[in-house]
Amino acid sequence: GIETVSITCLPNIQPRLVAVSKTKPPEMVMVAYQHGQRNFGENYVQELLDKASDPKILSSCPEIKWHFIGHLQKNNVNKLMGVPNIFMVETVDSVKLADRVNSSWQKQRLSAQRLKVMVQINTSGEDSKQTWLGPSEAVSMVQHIVSQCPALEFIGLMTIGQYGHDLSEGPNPDFQMLLSKRREVCDTLKLPLDKVELSMGMSMDFEHAIEVGSTNVRVGSTIFGERAYPSTPSPEKKIKPAKKSIMILE
Protein backbone atom coordinates (compact mmCIF):
# COMPACT_ATOMS: atom_id res chain seq x y z
CA GLY A 1 0.00 0.00 0.00
CA ILE A 2 0.91 3.67 -0.21
CA GLU A 3 2.63 5.02 2.88
CA THR A 4 1.17 8.10 4.53
CA VAL A 5 3.74 10.16 6.38
CA SER A 6 2.84 12.85 8.88
CA ILE A 7 4.90 15.95 9.54
CA THR A 8 6.14 14.46 12.83
CA CYS A 9 7.87 11.63 10.91
CA LEU A 10 10.01 13.91 8.79
CA PRO A 11 13.79 13.76 9.17
CA ASN A 12 15.03 16.61 11.35
CA ILE A 13 17.17 18.17 8.63
CA GLN A 14 16.85 21.20 6.41
CA PRO A 15 16.08 20.14 2.83
CA ARG A 16 18.90 20.66 0.37
CA LEU A 17 18.16 23.24 -2.32
CA VAL A 18 19.64 22.33 -5.68
CA ALA A 19 19.61 25.38 -7.95
CA VAL A 20 19.04 24.10 -11.48
CA SER A 21 21.19 26.29 -13.68
CA LYS A 22 20.69 24.67 -17.09
CA THR A 23 20.82 27.19 -19.98
CA LYS A 24 22.03 29.85 -17.53
CA PRO A 25 25.47 31.50 -17.88
CA PRO A 26 28.28 31.04 -15.35
CA GLU A 27 27.76 34.62 -14.16
CA MET A 28 24.31 33.75 -12.77
CA VAL A 29 25.75 30.74 -10.98
CA MET A 30 28.37 33.02 -9.44
CA VAL A 31 25.73 35.48 -8.22
CA ALA A 32 23.77 32.66 -6.58
CA TYR A 33 26.98 31.34 -5.02
CA GLN A 34 27.77 34.79 -3.63
CA HIS A 35 24.35 34.74 -1.93
CA GLY A 36 25.19 31.48 -0.17
CA GLN A 37 23.97 28.82 -2.62
CA ARG A 38 26.33 25.84 -2.92
CA ASN A 39 24.43 23.02 -4.66
CA PHE A 40 23.71 23.39 -8.38
CA GLY A 41 22.10 20.98 -10.84
CA GLU A 42 22.56 20.40 -14.56
CA ASN A 43 20.69 18.13 -16.99
CA TYR A 44 23.25 17.74 -19.76
CA VAL A 45 26.75 16.34 -19.33
CA GLN A 46 28.48 18.65 -21.80
CA GLU A 47 26.83 21.78 -20.41
CA LEU A 48 27.78 20.70 -16.89
CA LEU A 49 31.37 20.02 -17.91
CA ASP A 50 31.69 23.37 -19.66
CA LYS A 51 30.15 25.31 -16.77
CA ALA A 52 32.00 23.49 -13.98
CA SER A 53 35.30 23.93 -15.85
CA ASP A 54 34.79 27.65 -16.46
CA PRO A 55 37.81 29.50 -14.99
CA LYS A 56 35.52 32.07 -13.36
CA ILE A 57 33.54 29.33 -11.59
CA LEU A 58 36.68 27.47 -10.51
CA SER A 59 38.29 30.58 -9.05
CA SER A 60 35.30 32.23 -7.37
CA CYS A 61 33.20 29.20 -6.31
CA PRO A 62 35.61 26.82 -4.54
CA GLU A 63 32.90 25.12 -2.45
CA ILE A 64 30.44 24.53 -5.29
CA LYS A 65 28.74 21.13 -5.44
CA TRP A 66 27.45 19.93 -8.81
CA HIS A 67 24.50 17.53 -9.09
CA PHE A 68 23.77 15.71 -12.33
CA ILE A 69 19.98 15.46 -12.62
CA GLY A 70 19.42 14.48 -16.26
CA HIS A 71 19.27 11.22 -18.17
CA LEU A 72 22.75 9.74 -18.20
CA GLN A 73 23.83 7.72 -21.21
CA LYS A 74 26.52 5.13 -20.58
CA ASN A 75 28.80 6.62 -23.24
CA ASN A 76 28.87 9.90 -21.31
CA VAL A 77 29.80 8.43 -17.94
CA ASN A 78 33.57 8.96 -18.25
CA LYS A 79 33.02 12.59 -19.25
CA LEU A 80 30.72 13.15 -16.27
CA MET A 81 33.17 11.58 -13.84
CA GLY A 82 35.75 14.14 -14.97
CA VAL A 83 33.60 17.15 -14.05
CA PRO A 84 35.33 19.37 -11.47
CA ASN A 85 33.48 19.36 -8.13
CA ILE A 86 30.95 16.72 -9.17
CA PHE A 87 29.08 15.97 -5.94
CA MET A 88 26.18 13.70 -6.77
CA VAL A 89 24.54 11.75 -9.61
CA GLU A 90 20.80 11.67 -8.91
CA THR A 91 19.75 9.65 -11.95
CA VAL A 92 21.22 6.13 -11.71
CA ASP A 93 18.45 4.00 -13.18
CA SER A 94 19.95 0.64 -14.16
CA VAL A 95 22.42 -1.94 -12.92
CA LYS A 96 24.54 -1.49 -16.05
CA LEU A 97 24.71 2.27 -15.51
CA ALA A 98 25.60 1.81 -11.84
CA ASP A 99 28.42 -0.56 -12.80
CA ARG A 100 29.73 1.87 -15.42
CA VAL A 101 29.67 4.82 -13.00
CA ASN A 102 31.34 2.72 -10.30
CA SER A 103 34.12 1.57 -12.62
CA SER A 104 34.72 5.02 -14.09
CA TRP A 105 34.87 6.70 -10.66
CA GLN A 106 37.39 4.12 -9.47
CA LYS A 107 39.62 4.75 -12.48
CA GLN A 108 39.45 8.56 -12.54
CA ARG A 109 39.61 9.44 -8.85
CA LEU A 110 42.77 9.20 -6.77
CA SER A 111 40.99 9.72 -3.46
CA ALA A 112 39.07 7.01 -1.64
CA GLN A 113 35.98 9.21 -1.34
CA ARG A 114 32.90 7.54 -2.76
CA LEU A 115 30.60 9.27 -5.24
CA LYS A 116 27.14 10.01 -3.90
CA VAL A 117 24.34 8.55 -6.04
CA MET A 118 20.58 8.35 -5.99
CA VAL A 119 18.42 5.73 -7.67
CA GLN A 120 15.86 7.27 -10.02
CA ILE A 121 12.43 5.65 -9.90
CA ASN A 122 9.61 6.02 -12.42
CA THR A 123 6.73 6.61 -10.02
CA SER A 124 4.20 7.92 -12.55
CA GLY A 125 4.13 5.02 -15.02
CA GLU A 126 3.89 7.43 -17.97
CA ASP A 127 4.50 5.94 -21.41
CA SER A 128 7.33 8.41 -22.07
CA LYS A 129 9.19 6.98 -19.07
CA GLN A 130 8.72 3.26 -19.75
CA THR A 131 12.46 2.65 -20.06
CA TRP A 132 13.09 4.08 -16.59
CA LEU A 133 13.46 1.92 -13.50
CA GLY A 134 10.08 0.78 -12.21
CA PRO A 135 9.06 0.86 -8.52
CA SER A 136 9.19 -2.95 -8.26
CA GLU A 137 12.91 -2.85 -9.11
CA ALA A 138 13.89 -0.32 -6.45
CA VAL A 139 15.03 -2.79 -3.78
CA SER A 140 17.16 -4.92 -6.10
CA MET A 141 18.71 -1.84 -7.65
CA VAL A 142 19.70 -0.35 -4.29
CA GLN A 143 20.95 -3.73 -3.10
CA HIS A 144 23.22 -3.98 -6.15
CA ILE A 145 24.76 -0.56 -5.49
CA VAL A 146 25.29 -1.25 -1.80
CA SER A 147 26.82 -4.69 -2.33
CA GLN A 148 28.51 -4.50 -5.73
CA CYS A 149 29.57 -0.87 -6.24
CA PRO A 150 32.20 -0.03 -3.61
CA ALA A 151 33.07 3.33 -5.19
CA LEU A 152 29.47 4.57 -4.88
CA GLU A 153 27.62 5.83 -1.83
CA PHE A 154 23.88 5.23 -2.08
CA ILE A 155 22.14 8.11 -0.37
CA GLY A 156 18.55 8.11 -1.59
CA LEU A 157 15.77 7.81 -4.14
CA MET A 158 14.81 10.35 -6.78
CA THR A 159 11.71 10.86 -8.89
CA ILE A 160 10.39 13.44 -11.32
CA GLY A 161 6.73 12.46 -11.26
CA GLN A 162 3.91 13.80 -13.35
CA TYR A 163 3.63 17.54 -13.90
CA GLY A 164 0.69 19.58 -12.73
CA HIS A 165 -0.84 17.41 -10.01
CA ASP A 166 -3.92 19.11 -8.49
CA LEU A 167 -3.29 19.22 -4.74
CA SER A 168 -6.99 19.75 -4.11
CA GLU A 169 -7.32 16.04 -4.96
CA GLY A 170 -4.88 15.10 -2.22
CA PRO A 171 -1.11 14.54 -1.90
CA ASN A 172 0.87 13.88 -5.08
CA PRO A 173 0.66 10.08 -5.56
CA ASP A 174 4.12 10.01 -7.17
CA PHE A 175 5.66 11.51 -4.04
CA GLN A 176 3.68 9.06 -1.90
CA MET A 177 4.99 6.21 -4.04
CA LEU A 178 8.59 7.30 -3.45
CA LEU A 179 7.91 7.41 0.31
CA SER A 180 6.57 3.89 0.08
CA LYS A 181 9.58 2.68 -1.89
CA ARG A 182 11.94 4.19 0.69
CA ARG A 183 10.15 2.30 3.43
CA GLU A 184 10.39 -0.94 1.45
CA VAL A 185 14.08 -0.43 0.66
CA CYS A 186 14.91 0.36 4.29
CA ASP A 187 12.89 -2.54 5.70
CA THR A 188 14.34 -5.06 3.24
CA LEU A 189 17.97 -3.95 3.38
CA LYS A 190 17.96 -2.94 7.06
CA LEU A 191 18.86 0.67 6.34
CA PRO A 192 17.99 3.53 8.75
CA LEU A 193 15.03 5.47 7.35
CA ASP A 194 16.66 8.82 8.15
CA LYS A 195 19.77 7.87 6.14
CA VAL A 196 17.89 7.46 2.86
CA GLU A 197 17.07 10.78 1.22
CA LEU A 198 14.22 11.64 -1.11
CA SER A 199 14.83 13.91 -4.10
CA MET A 200 11.47 15.15 -5.32
CA GLY A 201 9.92 18.50 -6.01
CA MET A 202 10.72 21.27 -8.50
CA SER A 203 9.77 24.93 -8.93
CA MET A 204 6.05 24.24 -9.21
CA ASP A 205 5.68 21.82 -6.31
CA PHE A 206 8.75 21.95 -4.06
CA GLU A 207 6.77 23.24 -1.07
CA HIS A 208 4.39 20.28 -1.16
CA ALA A 209 7.33 17.92 -1.70
CA ILE A 210 9.03 19.24 1.44
CA GLU A 211 5.81 18.95 3.41
CA VAL A 212 5.56 15.24 2.66
CA GLY A 213 9.23 14.50 3.26
CA SER A 214 11.55 15.56 0.44
CA THR A 215 15.12 16.20 1.60
CA ASN A 216 16.39 17.47 -1.77
CA VAL A 217 14.49 19.80 -4.11
CA ARG A 218 15.52 20.81 -7.63
CA VAL A 219 14.48 24.40 -8.29
CA GLY A 220 15.35 26.30 -11.45
CA SER A 221 12.98 28.91 -12.85
CA THR A 222 11.87 30.13 -9.40
CA ILE A 223 15.48 31.12 -8.74
CA PHE A 224 16.88 32.06 -12.13
CA GLY A 225 13.76 33.00 -14.10
CA GLU A 226 12.25 31.24 -17.09
CA ARG A 227 14.70 29.41 -19.34
CA ALA A 228 15.49 30.71 -22.82
CA TYR A 229 16.18 27.95 -25.31
CA PRO A 230 17.92 28.48 -28.67
CA SER A 231 15.92 28.36 -31.88
CA THR A 232 17.66 25.16 -32.94
CA PRO A 233 15.69 21.92 -32.51
CA SER A 234 15.77 20.66 -28.96
CA PRO A 235 14.04 17.91 -26.99
CA GLU A 236 13.19 20.51 -24.41
CA LYS A 237 9.97 22.45 -24.40
CA LYS A 238 10.64 26.02 -25.46
CA ILE A 239 9.44 28.64 -23.00
CA LYS A 240 9.71 32.37 -22.44
CA PRO A 241 13.11 34.12 -22.32
CA ALA A 242 14.80 34.31 -18.96
CA LYS A 243 14.15 37.24 -16.68
CA LYS A 244 17.14 39.43 -15.92
CA SER A 245 16.63 39.42 -12.17
CA ILE A 246 17.67 36.61 -9.86
CA MET A 247 16.07 35.53 -6.63
CA ILE A 248 17.70 33.20 -4.14
CA LEU A 249 15.50 31.06 -1.96
CA GLU A 250 16.42 30.99 1.71
Side-chain angles (χ1 to χ4, degrees), residues 179-208:
L179 287 162
S180 175
K181 287 295 107 179
R182 179 175 66 172
R183 172 68 68 180
E184 182 182 350
V185 164
C186 290
D187 287 350
T188 305
L189 303 181
K190 309 303 181 187
L191 300 175
L193 196 67
D194 62 354
K195 297 298 182 182
V196 178
E197 293 199 29
L198 298 175
S199 177
M200 56 190 190
M202 297 184 282
S203 285
M204 68 189 76
D205 56 11
F206 71 90
E207 292 172 313
H208 171 60

mmCIF file of all heavy atoms in Angstrom, residues 179-208:
data_model
loop_
_atom_site.group_PDB
_atom_site.id
_atom_site.type_symbol
_atom_site.label_atom_id
_atom_site.label_comp_id
_atom_site.label_asym_id
_atom_site.label_seq_id
_atom_site.Cartn_x
_atom_site.Cartn_y
_atom_site.Cartn_z
ATOM 1 N N LEU A 179 7.879 7.656 -1.133
ATOM 2 C CA LEU A 179 7.913 7.415 0.308
ATOM 3 C C LEU A 179 7.752 5.924 0.598
ATOM 4 O O LEU A 179 8.452 5.344 1.441
ATOM 5 C CB LEU A 179 6.802 8.207 1.001
ATOM 6 C CG LEU A 179 7.000 9.720 1.122
ATOM 7 C CD1 LEU A 179 5.681 10.408 1.421
ATOM 8 C CD2 LEU A 179 8.008 10.035 2.209
ATOM 9 N N SER A 180 6.820 5.309 -0.100
ATOM 10 C CA SER A 180 6.568 3.889 0.080
ATOM 11 C C SER A 180 7.778 3.051 -0.320
ATOM 12 O O SER A 180 8.141 2.083 0.361
ATOM 13 C CB SER A 180 5.343 3.476 -0.752
ATOM 14 O OG SER A 180 5.122 2.090 -0.689
ATOM 15 N N LYS A 181 8.411 3.430 -1.431
ATOM 16 C CA LYS A 181 9.585 2.683 -1.891
ATOM 17 C C LYS A 181 10.751 2.829 -0.906
ATOM 18 O O LYS A 181 11.511 1.891 -0.686
ATOM 19 C CB LYS A 181 10.011 3.175 -3.272
ATOM 20 C CG LYS A 181 9.087 2.755 -4.409
ATOM 21 C CD LYS A 181 9.089 1.244 -4.610
ATOM 22 C CE LYS A 181 7.806 0.613 -4.134
ATOM 23 N NZ LYS A 181 7.800 -0.863 -4.362
ATOM 24 N N ARG A 182 10.897 4.016 -0.318
ATOM 25 C CA ARG A 182 11.945 4.190 0.688
ATOM 26 C C ARG A 182 11.703 3.261 1.869
ATOM 27 O O ARG A 182 12.639 2.618 2.374
ATOM 28 C CB ARG A 182 12.025 5.632 1.179
ATOM 29 C CG ARG A 182 13.102 5.794 2.258
ATOM 30 C CD ARG A 182 13.301 7.231 2.696
ATOM 31 N NE ARG A 182 12.133 7.779 3.382
ATOM 32 C CZ ARG A 182 12.118 8.967 3.994
ATOM 33 N NH1 ARG A 182 13.205 9.723 3.972
ATOM 34 N NH2 ARG A 182 11.032 9.410 4.576
ATOM 35 N N ARG A 183 10.477 3.183 2.323
ATOM 36 C CA ARG A 183 10.148 2.301 3.434
ATOM 37 C C ARG A 183 10.481 0.857 3.079
ATOM 38 O O ARG A 183 11.072 0.120 3.876
ATOM 39 C CB ARG A 183 8.662 2.441 3.783
ATOM 40 C CG ARG A 183 8.155 1.427 4.807
ATOM 41 C CD ARG A 183 8.746 1.639 6.179
ATOM 42 N NE ARG A 183 8.246 2.887 6.771
ATOM 43 C CZ ARG A 183 8.598 3.325 7.981
ATOM 44 N NH1 ARG A 183 9.485 2.621 8.688
ATOM 45 N NH2 ARG A 183 8.123 4.450 8.453
ATOM 46 N N GLU A 184 10.130 0.438 1.871
ATOM 47 C CA GLU A 184 10.393 -0.943 1.448
ATOM 48 C C GLU A 184 11.892 -1.212 1.349
ATOM 49 O O GLU A 184 12.380 -2.269 1.791
ATOM 50 C CB GLU A 184 9.721 -1.198 0.088
ATOM 51 C CG GLU A 184 9.888 -2.621 -0.422
ATOM 52 C CD GLU A 184 9.258 -2.831 -1.782
ATOM 53 O OE1 GLU A 184 8.525 -1.929 -2.251
ATOM 54 O OE2 GLU A 184 9.513 -3.883 -2.390
ATOM 55 N N VAL A 185 12.631 -0.270 0.779
ATOM 56 C CA VAL A 185 14.082 -0.426 0.659
ATOM 57 C C VAL A 185 14.717 -0.535 2.044
ATOM 58 O O VAL A 185 15.554 -1.411 2.300
ATOM 59 C CB VAL A 185 14.689 0.767 -0.121
ATOM 60 C CG1 VAL A 185 16.207 0.833 0.078
ATOM 61 C CG2 VAL A 185 14.360 0.648 -1.606
ATOM 62 N N CYS A 186 14.324 0.349 2.947
ATOM 63 C CA CYS A 186 14.914 0.357 4.288
ATOM 64 C C CYS A 186 14.559 -0.897 5.069
ATOM 65 O O CYS A 186 15.413 -1.480 5.757
ATOM 66 C CB CYS A 186 14.472 1.606 5.045
ATOM 67 S SG CYS A 186 15.187 3.133 4.397
ATOM 68 N N ASP A 187 13.309 -1.338 4.974
ATOM 69 C CA ASP A 187 12.892 -2.540 5.696
ATOM 70 C C ASP A 187 13.618 -3.771 5.176
ATOM 71 O O ASP A 187 14.064 -4.627 5.950
ATOM 72 C CB ASP A 187 11.380 -2.736 5.570
ATOM 73 C CG ASP A 187 10.583 -1.742 6.402
ATOM 74 O OD1 ASP A 187 11.187 -1.029 7.222
ATOM 75 O OD2 ASP A 187 9.348 -1.665 6.221
ATOM 76 N N THR A 188 13.739 -3.875 3.850
ATOM 77 C CA THR A 188 14.337 -5.062 3.240
ATOM 78 C C THR A 188 15.840 -5.119 3.458
ATOM 79 O O THR A 188 16.402 -6.183 3.751
ATOM 80 C CB THR A 188 14.041 -5.105 1.731
ATOM 81 O OG1 THR A 188 12.621 -5.029 1.521
ATOM 82 C CG2 THR A 188 14.563 -6.385 1.103
ATOM 83 N N LEU A 189 16.504 -3.972 3.311
ATOM 84 C CA LEU A 189 17.969 -3.945 3.375
ATOM 85 C C LEU A 189 18.501 -3.503 4.735
ATOM 86 O O LEU A 189 19.711 -3.337 4.898
ATOM 87 C CB LEU A 189 18.507 -3.017 2.279
ATOM 88 C CG LEU A 189 18.093 -3.372 0.854
ATOM 89 C CD1 LEU A 189 18.713 -2.401 -0.146
ATOM 90 C CD2 LEU A 189 18.477 -4.804 0.508
ATOM 91 N N LYS A 190 17.577 -3.320 5.690
ATOM 92 C CA LYS A 190 17.957 -2.944 7.062
ATOM 93 C C LYS A 190 18.755 -1.634 7.087
ATOM 94 O O LYS A 190 19.781 -1.511 7.752
ATOM 95 C CB LYS A 190 18.777 -4.056 7.731
ATOM 96 C CG LYS A 190 18.157 -5.442 7.657
ATOM 97 C CD LYS A 190 16.762 -5.469 8.256
ATOM 98 C CE LYS A 190 16.176 -6.883 8.176
ATOM 99 N NZ LYS A 190 14.742 -6.912 8.593
ATOM 100 N N LEU A 191 18.240 -0.651 6.374
ATOM 101 C CA LEU A 191 18.863 0.667 6.345
ATOM 102 C C LEU A 191 18.054 1.625 7.220
ATOM 103 O O LEU A 191 16.824 1.566 7.242
ATOM 104 C CB LEU A 191 18.914 1.214 4.913
ATOM 105 C CG LEU A 191 19.688 0.398 3.877
ATOM 106 C CD1 LEU A 191 19.537 1.019 2.490
ATOM 107 C CD2 LEU A 191 21.151 0.288 4.260
ATOM 108 N N PRO A 192 18.713 2.534 7.944
ATOM 109 C CA PRO A 192 17.987 3.527 8.749
ATOM 110 C C PRO A 192 17.169 4.447 7.839
ATOM 111 O O PRO A 192 17.685 4.959 6.846
ATOM 112 C CB PRO A 192 19.089 4.303 9.462
ATOM 113 C CG PRO A 192 20.314 3.443 9.356
ATOM 114 C CD PRO A 192 20.169 2.671 8.085
ATOM 115 N N LEU A 193 15.917 4.655 8.185
ATOM 116 C CA LEU A 193 15.028 5.475 7.353
ATOM 117 C C LEU A 193 15.576 6.882 7.172
ATOM 118 O O LEU A 193 15.485 7.466 6.089
ATOM 119 C CB LEU A 193 13.639 5.536 7.989
ATOM 120 C CG LEU A 193 12.489 6.020 7.090
ATOM 121 C CD1 LEU A 193 12.221 5.013 5.980
ATOM 122 C CD2 LEU A 193 11.217 6.234 7.916
ATOM 123 N N ASP A 194 16.186 7.436 8.233
ATOM 124 C CA ASP A 194 16.657 8.818 8.149
ATOM 125 C C ASP A 194 17.984 8.948 7.417
ATOM 126 O O ASP A 194 18.515 10.048 7.262
ATOM 127 C CB ASP A 194 16.748 9.449 9.538
ATOM 128 C CG ASP A 194 17.740 8.738 10.446
ATOM 129 O OD1 ASP A 194 18.281 7.687 10.041
ATOM 130 O OD2 ASP A 194 17.973 9.236 11.566
ATOM 131 N N LYS A 195 18.533 7.824 6.921
ATOM 132 C CA LYS A 195 19.772 7.870 6.144
ATOM 133 C C LYS A 195 19.513 7.737 4.650
ATOM 134 O O LYS A 195 20.442 7.772 3.846
ATOM 135 C CB LYS A 195 20.725 6.761 6.592
ATOM 136 C CG LYS A 195 21.192 6.861 8.042
ATOM 137 C CD LYS A 195 21.985 8.131 8.291
ATOM 138 C CE LYS A 195 22.493 8.179 9.731
ATOM 139 N NZ LYS A 195 23.234 9.440 10.000
ATOM 140 N N VAL A 196 18.249 7.581 4.277
ATOM 141 C CA VAL A 196 17.892 7.457 2.861
ATOM 142 C C VAL A 196 17.101 8.691 2.456
ATOM 143 O O VAL A 196 15.957 8.888 2.885
ATOM 144 C CB VAL A 196 17.082 6.171 2.598
ATOM 145 C CG1 VAL A 196 16.677 6.085 1.129
ATOM 146 C CG2 VAL A 196 17.908 4.945 2.987
ATOM 147 N N GLU A 197 17.694 9.518 1.623
ATOM 148 C CA GLU A 197 17.067 10.779 1.223
ATOM 149 C C GLU A 197 16.011 10.582 0.141
ATOM 150 O O GLU A 197 15.956 9.534 -0.518
ATOM 151 C CB GLU A 197 18.140 11.753 0.716
ATOM 152 C CG GLU A 197 19.106 12.221 1.779
ATOM 153 C CD GLU A 197 19.829 13.484 1.357
ATOM 154 O OE1 GLU A 197 19.246 14.279 0.581
ATOM 155 O OE2 GLU A 197 20.976 13.689 1.793
ATOM 156 N N LEU A 198 15.208 11.612 -0.039
ATOM 157 C CA LEU A 198 14.217 11.639 -1.111
ATOM 158 C C LEU A 198 14.414 12.912 -1.920
ATOM 159 O O LEU A 198 14.334 14.015 -1.376
ATOM 160 C CB LEU A 198 12.788 11.613 -0.549
ATOM 161 C CG LEU A 198 12.383 10.379 0.261
ATOM 162 C CD1 LEU A 198 10.986 10.571 0.840
ATOM 163 C CD2 LEU A 198 12.438 9.124 -0.599
ATOM 164 N N SER A 199 14.703 12.755 -3.212
ATOM 165 C CA SER A 199 14.834 13.905 -4.097
ATOM 166 C C SER A 199 13.568 14.003 -4.936
ATOM 167 O O SER A 199 13.353 13.222 -5.857
ATOM 168 C CB SER A 199 16.063 13.752 -4.998
ATOM 169 O OG SER A 199 16.149 14.850 -5.909
ATOM 170 N N MET A 200 12.728 14.950 -4.584
ATOM 171 C CA MET A 200 11.474 15.152 -5.322
ATOM 172 C C MET A 200 11.015 16.577 -5.083
ATOM 173 O O MET A 200 11.256 17.157 -4.029
ATOM 174 C CB MET A 200 10.405 14.143 -4.881
ATOM 175 C CG MET A 200 10.092 14.125 -3.392
ATOM 176 S SD MET A 200 9.033 12.722 -2.937
ATOM 177 C CE MET A 200 8.624 13.175 -1.232
ATOM 178 N N GLY A 201 10.378 17.133 -6.105
ATOM 179 C CA GLY A 201 9.915 18.502 -6.009
ATOM 180 C C GLY A 201 10.756 19.440 -6.841
ATOM 181 O O GLY A 201 11.987 19.389 -6.794
ATOM 182 N N MET A 202 10.069 20.273 -7.651
ATOM 183 C CA MET A 202 10.723 21.271 -8.497
ATOM 184 C C MET A 202 10.039 22.608 -8.282
ATOM 185 O O MET A 202 9.307 22.777 -7.310
ATOM 186 C CB MET A 202 10.696 20.807 -9.952
ATOM 187 C CG MET A 202 11.494 19.510 -10.165
ATOM 188 S SD MET A 202 11.601 18.954 -11.879
ATOM 189 C CE MET A 202 9.993 18.216 -12.094
ATOM 190 N N SER A 203 10.273 23.566 -9.169
ATOM 191 C CA SER A 203 9.771 24.927 -8.932
ATOM 192 C C SER A 203 8.276 24.954 -8.619
ATOM 193 O O SER A 203 7.828 25.684 -7.742
ATOM 194 C CB SER A 203 10.061 25.814 -10.150
ATOM 195 O OG SER A 203 11.419 26.166 -10.208
ATOM 196 N N MET A 204 7.499 24.143 -9.336
ATOM 197 C CA MET A 204 6.047 24.238 -9.207
ATOM 198 C C MET A 204 5.493 23.534 -7.969
ATOM 199 O O MET A 204 4.377 23.816 -7.544
ATOM 200 C CB MET A 204 5.378 23.655 -10.458
ATOM 201 C CG MET A 204 5.548 22.156 -10.597
ATOM 202 S SD MET A 204 4.987 21.533 -12.191
ATOM 203 C CE MET A 204 6.339 22.059 -13.235
ATOM 204 N N ASP A 205 6.262 22.614 -7.388
ATOM 205 C CA ASP A 205 5.683 21.824 -6.308
ATOM 206 C C ASP A 205 6.667 21.516 -5.177
ATOM 207 O O ASP A 205 6.436 20.607 -4.386
ATOM 208 C CB ASP A 205 5.109 20.510 -6.857
ATOM 209 C CG ASP A 205 6.143 19.688 -7.626
ATOM 210 O OD1 ASP A 205 7.339 20.027 -7.562
ATOM 211 O OD2 ASP A 205 5.743 18.715 -8.293
ATOM 212 N N PHE A 206 7.748 22.283 -5.070
ATOM 213 C CA PHE A 206 8.746 21.953 -4.061
ATOM 214 C C PHE A 206 8.218 22.105 -2.633
ATOM 215 O O PHE A 206 8.634 21.383 -1.727
ATOM 216 C CB PHE A 206 10.029 22.773 -4.244
ATOM 217 C CG PHE A 206 9.916 24.230 -3.899
ATOM 218 C CD1 PHE A 206 10.175 24.668 -2.614
ATOM 219 C CD2 PHE A 206 9.553 25.164 -4.859
ATOM 220 C CE1 PHE A 206 10.093 26.013 -2.283
ATOM 221 C CE2 PHE A 206 9.465 26.507 -4.545
ATOM 222 C CZ PHE A 206 9.730 26.939 -3.248
ATOM 223 N N GLU A 207 7.296 23.047 -2.423
ATOM 224 C CA GLU A 207 6.768 23.243 -1.068
ATOM 225 C C GLU A 207 5.993 22.018 -0.610
ATOM 226 O O GLU A 207 6.154 21.543 0.524
ATOM 227 C CB GLU A 207 5.895 24.501 -1.018
ATOM 228 C CG GLU A 207 6.697 25.792 -1.200
ATOM 229 C CD GLU A 207 5.806 27.011 -1.340
ATOM 230 O OE1 GLU A 207 4.831 26.940 -2.121
ATOM 231 O OE2 GLU A 207 6.074 28.015 -0.678
ATOM 232 N N HIS A 208 5.148 21.491 -1.498
ATOM 233 C CA HIS A 208 4.394 20.279 -1.160
ATOM 234 C C HIS A 208 5.340 19.107 -0.961
ATOM 235 O O HIS A 208 5.162 18.294 -0.043
ATOM 236 C CB HIS A 208 3.391 19.958 -2.272
ATOM 237 C CG HIS A 208 2.722 18.628 -2.115
ATOM 238 N ND1 HIS A 208 1.954 18.298 -1.020
ATOM 239 C CD2 HIS A 208 2.738 17.509 -2.902
ATOM 240 C CE1 HIS A 208 1.512 17.058 -1.149
ATOM 241 N NE2 HIS A 208 1.983 16.558 -2.269
#
